Amino acid sequence: MTENKNRYRVFQSDIKPSDKIKLTYYDGELNLHGYRSDDSLIFNIRFEYVLLTRVCPESIRLKLLNDTQSCVGTILVDEESDVINWISEQDLQITDMSNFKHYIFFLANEVADVIAQGVPIFDYV
């Protein structure tokens, strides 16, 4: 997989910091909830239709962090997503992937990849 800084676009760069992130998924909808240390909700980011979600420790994505100079609270869009191409291959091109985007969230200690149709909906508390 080739990493190219020009393939990434900043989608959002000011997500409020949180101590904990909780992901919930049900019937294609994904919610990322950010909480303070006292368990009070800070934000919810909702995707209405998701094909794939991957969460990993930031240590696995050090090259991406270095290449993009991204920090916690940033969301990127990968304009040349190898993951979208992989999904298209795996489902034998049944799904029209033209309306899907690859979002990359830099969370507290994790990086989350989300392949979703449409844009995320942000709710701040």
Side-chain angles (χ1 to χ4, degrees):
M1 179 161 95
T2 59
E3 296 289 344
N4 176 351
K5 283 192 264 191
N6 297 326
R7 72 189 273 177
Y8 302 103
R9 173 176 57 83
V10 174
F11 179 78
Q12 181 101 12
S13 62
D14 59 351
I15 303 294
K16 295 180 181 180
S18 61
D19 295 310
K20 297 185 253 181
I21 300 290
K22 179 180 176 184
L23 280 74
T24 58
Y25 177 86
Y26 179 73
D27 198 24
E29 182 176 294
L30 176 72
N31 287 275
L32 287 88
H33 311 278
Y35 294 93
R36 294 179 185 87
S37 58
D38 65 359
D39 289 334
S40 60
L41 184 66
I42 301 170
F43 64 81
N44 181 55
I45 302 170
R46 180 169 48 98
F47 291 90
E48 293 181 340
Y49 186 60
V50 170
L51 285 181
L52 180 136
T53 303
R54 171 178 66 186
V55 179
C56 58
E58 65 183 2
S59 61
I60 293 176
R61 302 300 299 273
L62 291 176
K63 182 170 180 3
L64 175 67
L65 286 162
N66 186 54
D67 287 351
T68 62
Q69 299 295 303
S70 295
C71 59
V72 171
T74 302
I75 302 172
L76 300 178
V77 173
D78 185 344
E79 302 285 3
E80 301 171 19
S81 175
D82 295 325
V83 179
I84 288 177
N85 293 336
W86 176 82
I87 291 170
S88 186
E89 285 177 14
Q90 294 301 309
D91 82 349
L92 302 176
Q93 300 179 349
I94 292 172
T95 305
D96 178 7
M97 299 302 294
S98 63
N99 293 321
F100 285 86
K101 294 195 181 314
H102 180 176
Y103 296 94
I104 304 168
F105 291 79
F106 295 94
L107 307 169
N109 295 310
E110 294 85 21
V111 177
D113 293 273
V114 177
I115 306 298
Q117 191 172 40
V119 297
I121 299 162
F122 294 85
D123 297 314
Y124 292 103
V125 179

